[in-house]
Amino acid sequence: MLTIKNGYKKYDGREIFRNVNLNFEKNHTYGIIGVNGSGKTVLLKALAGYIKLTSGQIQQGERTIREKNNYLEKAGIFIGHPQFLAHLSLWDNLELIRKMCENHKGIDLEEWLAYFDLTHYKQHKFKNLSMGTKQKMGIIQAFMPSSEILILDEPFNPLDQESVNLTYQLIQKYQKNRIIILTSHVQNDIELLCDQIFRIENEQIIDDCSPH
């Protein structure tokens, strides 16, 4: 279980959210919606341990995230614009990540590239790739470890419709025995995939609806 208790975050002098109490459990997919600038990405960064809460706690089981500068464990994370080593190829970047995964022997990188139709870009340097291709690389690196938790920030941008459909299918495939938390500015994306939806509004997080 992943839990945020009495979460409060102030960022650059601005109150982002306050009094947030949420529980995230296995076998559920959670959606977080809100207008641009409402704090969706800030919340995901806090859950991942990338930033500290101003006050409150985030716990993964018995561990308190960022208590000793520790991060979320056993998690595949996609937040913000994906950044890889600019001078390395698409293949070499993903191969570096594959080697760091506990399940590296079971990861077929060729299969992942074929899934998103990226094989013909494998030797292209990251700095020369389109935004859509970089987005697909970010999605692949989040899913490759087959982690217990997936945190996905706007995974459908800026993908074409075919790639959006492939990403939908990937999320659906990975829903069993995992916690998935995702954001999107398109509510329909969230409603199709999520068991529970939270809305960030006026620095509060509201249980918006449970579509399933």
Side-chain angles (χ1 to χ4, degrees), residues 144-156:
M144 274 199 307
S146 193
S147 304
E148 295 177 1
I149 300 173
L150 281 165
I151 293 182
L152 308 170
D153 184 25
E154 299 281 359
F156 307 113

Side-chain angles (χ1 to χ4, degrees), residues 54-124:
T54 305
S55 63
Q57 286 187 334
I58 295 171
Q59 290 186 281
Q60 182 181 18
E62 300 299 318
R63 298 173 60 253
T64 300
I65 302 301
R66 290 306 293 266
E67 184 177 43
K68 297 179 180 178
N69 291 324
N70 56 326
Y71 297 86
L72 193 65
E73 293 184 349
K74 298 181 179 178
I77 299 170
F78 176 89
I79 296 178
H81 299 295
Q83 292 300 316
F84 295 86
L85 296 175
H87 65 288
L88 292 185
S89 68
L90 180 155
W91 176 271
D92 288 342
N93 269 293
L94 290 177
E95 177 65 6
L96 282 174
I97 294 169
R98 185 194 70 81
K99 288 178 178 177
M100 291 187 286
C101 296
E102 288 185 12
N103 62 324
H104 63 275
K105 292 182 179 178
I107 297 173
D108 186 338
L109 194 48
E110 291 280 11
E111 187 176 308
W112 277 106
L113 297 191
Y115 183 80
F116 278 113
D117 194 24
L118 295 178
T119 303
H120 47 299
Y121 296 115
K122 63 191 290 185
Q123 298 305 330
H124 290 212

Side-chain angles (χ1 to χ4, degrees), residues 130-165:
S130 69
M131 286 298 297
T133 299
K134 291 176 179 178
Q135 184 85 352
K136 293 174 193 176
M137 287 178 67
I139 292 168
I140 289 170
Q141 65 81 29
F143 279 87
M144 274 199 307
S146 193
S147 304
E148 295 177 1
I149 300 173
L150 281 165
I151 293 182
L152 308 170
D153 184 25
E154 299 281 359
F156 307 113
N157 288 338
L159 300 179
D160 57 55
Q161 190 57 53
E162 182 179 355
S163 298
V164 167
N165 293 340

Side-chain angles (χ1 to χ4, degrees), residues 187-204:
Q187 185 159 344
N188 189 54
D189 294 339
I190 299 289
E191 290 176 347
L192 288 171
L193 289 166
C194 299
D195 306 302
Q196 193 163 6
I197 298 173
F198 299 109
R199 179 186 297 276
I200 301 183
E201 190 174 283
N202 299 322
E203 294 82 45
Q204 298 283 336

